[in-house]
């Protein structure tokens, strides 16, 4: 990928972030009541309407919508996300506290998913396994149908309550990652495995694979040294999309396990109508998708020498074509 192409991709990324921010801002602004009214409008708090209006004025919520939009956008451009209407704390501080926990969970989950996908794809495409290969070929369809919250509850019931192997109440830093990681890895490894199996089957039919096999190489050698590398591009694209989804969408898993992170913070912000926090989470989720996809594009020429010096591959339905 040339420098001009990288700049074009960066421009596209900024445009995506701007559109995402704009849509999220106006959708949240269209809700029937603002966060201040939702937070302080309870008669039990004893605040008069004049006091509530003063709070709204201090937060700039009473200004025209277009003024709020550009003021908020300018703050986001310099890393100033405003203050939470629920706690009053700076949103940037809340994000800084929660993001490392979510990144640790997402990273561990995607690593486990990749390992599972590689092993299952190897077993499913290895010749001569018969019904065992058929079992592994059908396994992703089962895994992708399992709801994440159900997997999490099942893992807690079996490994915590029945076997007592993993604590869910006050676990250690590593111990607290085990069950949430498995909960996320089970469903996301399924589409990754499906894409990898299809790509491996296509690669196995290429003439160079038959030539290596004719030289007497074992099937395991052919898979790990020849087939896999030439099958990774569609799986790499899928892994990047899944990682971006994990960073921005671990709401259910973090809620089930009571983990601090962006997911739990998002659930609380939705319940409390905490608009500044929701805006920050939306932008971070969009940024994760954009950055991961840019990194995937930059890795394409590293994995496939045929792409070096050529235009970037256009990704369509998990398969590569050239433009």
């Amino acid at each position: 990928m040339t420098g001009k192409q990288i700049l074009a991709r960066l421009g596209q990324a900024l445009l995506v972030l701007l559109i995402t921010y704009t849509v999220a801002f106006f959708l949240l602004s269209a809700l029937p009541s603002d966060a201040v009214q939702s937070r302080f409008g309870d008669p039990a708090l004893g605040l008069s309407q004049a006091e509530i209006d003063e709070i709204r004025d201090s937060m700039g919520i009473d200004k025209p919508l277009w003024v709020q939009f550009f003021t908020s956008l300018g703050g986001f451009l310099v890393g100033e996300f405003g203050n939470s209407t629920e706690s009053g704390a700076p949103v940037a501080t809340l994000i800084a506290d929660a993001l490392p926990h979510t990144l640790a969970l997402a990273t561990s989950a995607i690593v486990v998913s990749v390992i599972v996908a590689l092993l299952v794809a190897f077993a499913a495409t290895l010749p001569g396994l018969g019904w065992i290969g058929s079992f592994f070929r059908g396994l992703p369809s089962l895994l992708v149908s399992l709801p994440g919250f159900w997997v999490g509850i099942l893992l807690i019931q079996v490994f915590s309550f029945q076997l007592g192997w993993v604590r869910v109440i006050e676990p250690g830093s590593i111990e607290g990652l085990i069950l949430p990681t498995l909960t996320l890895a089970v469903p996301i490894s399924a589409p990754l495995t499906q894409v990898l199996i299809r790509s491996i089957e296509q690669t196995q039919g290429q003439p160079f694979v038959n030539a290596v096999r004719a030289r007497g190489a074992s099937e395991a050698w052919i898979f790990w040294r020849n087939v896999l590398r030439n099958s990774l591009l569609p799986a790499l694209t899928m892994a990047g999309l899944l990682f971006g989804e994990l960073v921005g969408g671990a709401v259910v898993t973090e809620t089930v396990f009571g983990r601090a992170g962006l997911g739990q913070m998002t659930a609380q912000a939705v319940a409390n109508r905490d608009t500044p926090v929701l805006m920050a989470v939306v932008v971070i989720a969009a940024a994760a998708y954009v950055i991961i996809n840019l990194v995937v594009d930059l890795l394409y020429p590293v994995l496939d020498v045929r792409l070096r010096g050529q235009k970037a591959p256009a990704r369509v339905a998990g398969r590569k074509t050239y433009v």
Side-chain angles (χ1 to χ4, degrees):
M1 184 177 290
T2 65
K4 184 177 181 181
Q5 291 171 336
I6 293 176
L7 290 177
R9 291 287 287 113
L10 288 174
Q12 293 172 4
L14 293 176
L15 181 60
V16 169
L17 290 176
L18 177 61
I19 293 174
T20 301
Y21 177 86
T22 303
V23 172
F25 178 88
F26 286 103
L27 285 178
L28 290 174
S29 300
L31 295 175
S33 63
D34 57 55
V36 173
Q37 189 66 37
S38 176
R39 172 70 175 83
F40 300 101
D42 189 347
L45 296 178
L47 296 178
S48 66
Q49 187 59 45
E51 292 172 321
I52 295 176
D53 291 339
E54 184 177 350
I55 295 174
R56 298 177 78 253
D57 179 69
S58 65
M59 299 186 67
I61 298 179
D62 61 332
K63 296 179 181 178
L65 192 59
W66 66 271
V67 175
Q68 296 182 46
F69 172 76
F70 285 107
T71 301
S72 177
L73 179 60
F76 269 75
L77 292 177
V78 297
E80 176 56 52
F81 302 146
N83 295 327
S84 167
T85 55
E86 174 63 21
S87 64
V91 175
T93 301
L94 298 177
I95 295 292
D97 292 338
L99 185 58
H101 299 285
T102 299
L103 285 177
L105 177 58
T107 302
S108 61
I110 201 67
V111 169
V112 172
S113 300
V114 169
I115 294 174
V116 171
L118 289 174
L119 294 177
V120 173
F122 173 68
T125 56
L126 189 65
L129 289 186
W131 68 268
I132 298 178
S134 300
F135 168 78
F136 282 107
R137 191 180 300 275
L139 187 59
S141 299
L142 172 63
L143 296 181
V144 78
S145 65
L146 299 178
F149 73 91
W150 182 84
V151 173
I153 294 173
L154 179 63
L155 292 177
I156 292 174
Q157 181 67 30
V158 174
F159 292 101
S160 296
F161 297 157
Q162 299 296 329
L163 300 176
W165 290 355
V166 182
R167 294 176 299 172
V168 291
I169 299 176
E170 297 183 355
S173 57
I174 302 299
E175 186 180 24
L177 272 175
I178 296 175
L179 295 186
T181 295
L182 293 177
T183 300
L184 288 175
V186 167
I188 68 173
S189 63
L192 189 59
T193 304
Q194 290 173 328
V195 170
L196 192 56
I197 288 175
R198 286 197 297 267
S199 183
I200 289 172
E201 289 176 338
Q202 292 176 358
T203 305
Q204 285 178 332
Q206 298 297 319
F208 78 91
V209 175
N210 295 327
V212 175
R213 185 178 290 114
R215 295 173 186 170
S218 67
E219 292 297 334
W221 172 276
I222 294 173
F223 178 84
W224 296 108
R225 296 297 298 270
N226 301 99
V227 174
L228 183 59
R229 180 169 182 175
N230 290 276
S231 306
L232 279 180
L233 293 189
L236 179 64
T237 300
M238 178 62 70
L241 294 174
L242 291 173
F243 185 76
E245 179 181 344
L246 289 176
V247 173
V251 177
V252 174
T253 301
E254 291 183 349
T255 302
V256 168
F257 289 94
R259 281 183 54 86
L262 289 181
Q264 190 178 75
M265 188 173 69
T266 302
Q268 294 173 351
V270 170
N272 298 319
R273 296 288 305 280
D274 200 340
T275 304
V277 173
L278 290 176
M279 286 296 305
V281 170
V282 168
V283 172
I284 288 174
Y289 274 106
V290 167
I291 293 172
I292 293 298
N293 276 275
L294 180 59
V295 171
V296 168
D297 284 348
L298 295 177
L299 284 177
Y300 271 5
V302 176
L303 294 175
D304 193 336
V305 296
R306 295 171 298 178
L307 301 180
R308 297 173 187 174
Q310 299 182 21
K311 294 183 178 180
R315 289 170 287 161
V316 180
R319 303 172 69 178
K320 66 176 185 291
T321 57
Y322 296 92
V323 293

